Amino acid sequence: MTSSLEPKVINLSLPKCGSTSIDRFCSLYCNSIHEIWHSGITDALVKHKMQLFPKSSLLNYFDFKYLATEVDVDSSTYNHFLLEDLLKRYPNTYFISVLRDPLGWCCSMLNMWGYFARIVDFARQDTHSYDMKEIRTWISWINKYGTLYAPSLNSYSVFRSCQSGSIENLKSTFEQLLFFWIAYHKRLIDQLIPRMNKIEIFNMSDLDCLASYLGTLLAVPSADRLTMPIENQKLPVTIDAAKSLSAFKFLSPSLFDGLCDRVLIDEAASIYTIALNLVA
């Protein structure tokens, strides 16, 4: 730790960009956290967006988190919301961000939110085994959190559209997610050009390179190869993953390529190319 408040590394990546693998890798060598205090901080982010929670209090939340956990690596998937503020607040910290192609990221987000609804649907079939009050509270929070990425992102809507094959119903949500991806990466690139901050960007397709970089920062004993662990499905509630996955129809980028706004897709592709040129 560089100080009582500053982690050695903070991950600024969007969700669905390898955060679980990063946490599992770092946990082998140091004190690493992934989604600790997730619901509390994301609730505060939603309230901040509605101008009901001051940013100063939100940033204090991070100070308290780091003081309480004495963490070395924070790979939480909500850090990116406060990209610029965290860079200023923790000047001795190294920051990383993992780059994923925009269409693939949007589909992955839709698939995750739709799968969340499948979990609820699966639990409803066996109410004796699952606490439905807890599950309803959880899915309500998930859908409120989802509005930070896309106003119309809703687990039930995604699930129904996937199961019925009505992909056109997801066009607006997909475009909202794509707009979010564009806005975030514009912010990230602004911080990378000129390179005034301790930010390194890595490609989702080459997490081994990120593992080597983290190994150096964490003073990991030399090895022939530092390999990032493969992510496994991590369920927010304890439900049979095989059974719940078997009935869910996953989306692919090709379904949206000719459906969504071409100008928006081209802008995302252009920014993706710029970001690729900044990869470590």
Side-chain angles (χ1 to χ4, degrees):
M1 292 290 293
T2 52
S3 76
S4 59
L5 288 179
E6 294 189 63
K8 186 179 289 291
V9 181
I10 292 178
N11 182 11
L12 297 173
S13 307
L14 297 178
K16 309 306 295 176
C17 291
S19 62
T20 301
S21 289
I22 293 169
D23 176 61
R24 288 177 178 170
F25 172 79
C26 293
S27 293
L28 297 173
Y29 309 107
C30 67
N31 182 14
S32 176
I33 57 175
H34 184 212
E35 301 292 32
I36 193 169
W37 299 8
H38 193 283
S39 60
I41 290 182
T42 52
D43 278 345
L45 283 164
V46 171
K47 291 176 181 175
H48 173 65
K49 184 178 180 181
M50 299 168 62
Q51 299 184 335
L52 299 175
F53 199 88
K55 181 177 284 189
S56 58
S57 297
L58 186 55
L59 291 170
N60 285 338
Y61 216 146
F62 279 78
D63 286 345
F64 295 146
K65 179 177 73 168
Y66 296 145
L67 187 62
T69 60
E70 297 184 350
V71 68
D72 295 297
V73 178
D74 178 9
S75 196
S76 301
T77 56
Y78 49 72
N79 294 332
H80 63 87
F81 286 109
L82 296 168
L83 164 66
E84 297 85 353
D85 299 283
L86 296 180
L87 286 168
K88 293 177 182 176
R89 199 170 188 88
Y90 306 113
N92 297 312
T93 294
Y94 291 87
F95 294 86
I96 59 172
S97 183
V98 176
L99 178 66
R100 183 170 185 173
D101 74 278
L103 301 188
W105 179 79
C106 292
C107 278
S108 188
M109 288 289 285
L110 287 173
N111 284 330
M112 180 167 66
W113 251 258
Y115 179 52
F116 288 155
R118 174 60 186 131
I119 290 174
V120 177
D121 183 63
F122 184 83
R124 282 174 177 160
Q125 299 172 31
D126 185 6
T127 56
H128 295 292
S129 301
Y130 305 108
D131 185 339
M132 292 308 300
K133 181 179 180 180
E134 179 182 347
I135 290 177
R136 282 192 295 269
T137 299
W138 167 72
I139 198 67
S140 175
W141 162 68
I142 283 290
N143 285 325
K144 186 188 299 181
Y145 169 45
T147 62
L148 290 172
Y149 296 97
S152 62
L153 182 56
N154 179 278
S155 293
Y156 300 115
S157 296
V158 175
F159 178 66
R160 286 193 294 266
S161 296
C162 288
Q163 299 309 98
S164 65
S166 304
I167 307 304
E168 65 277 3
N169 293 339
L170 297 174
K171 175 180 180 291
S172 177
T173 306
F174 187 92
E175 290 178 344
Q176 291 167 13
L177 286 168
L178 193 56
F179 183 81
F180 185 94
W181 187 98
I182 290 170
Y184 164 74
H185 285 85
K186 283 182 176 179
R187 291 167 53 212
L188 179 65
I189 290 169
D190 283 346
Q191 299 300 321
L192 286 164
I193 308 174
R195 300 181 72 88
M196 298 175 61
N197 296 300
K198 295 180 180 178
I199 308 177
E200 293 289 345
I201 187 169
F202 297 87
N203 198 323
M204 181 76 174
S205 64
D206 188 15
L207 290 184
D208 284 353
C209 180
L210 172 55
S212 295
Y213 175 76
L214 291 171
T216 300
L217 291 182
L218 301 173
V220 174
S222 59
D224 292 335
R225 189 182 184 199
L226 292 171
T227 301
M228 193 69 71
I230 298 174
E231 281 195 32
N232 294 317
Q233 182 66 41
K234 185 178 180 181
L235 298 178
V237 289
T238 304
I239 288 179
D240 188 319
K243 292 180 181 178
S244 57
L245 274 169
S246 62
F248 184 72
K249 299 176 182 178
F250 287 93
L251 302 166
S252 63
S254 61
L255 295 171
F256 296 93
D257 193 29
L259 181 65
C260 295
D261 185 340
R262 191 71 241 175
V263 174
L264 197 63
I265 290 177
D266 289 345
E267 182 181 7
S270 176
I271 292 172
Y272 182 56
T273 300
I274 293 172
L276 279 175
N277 290 328
L278 297 169
V279 168

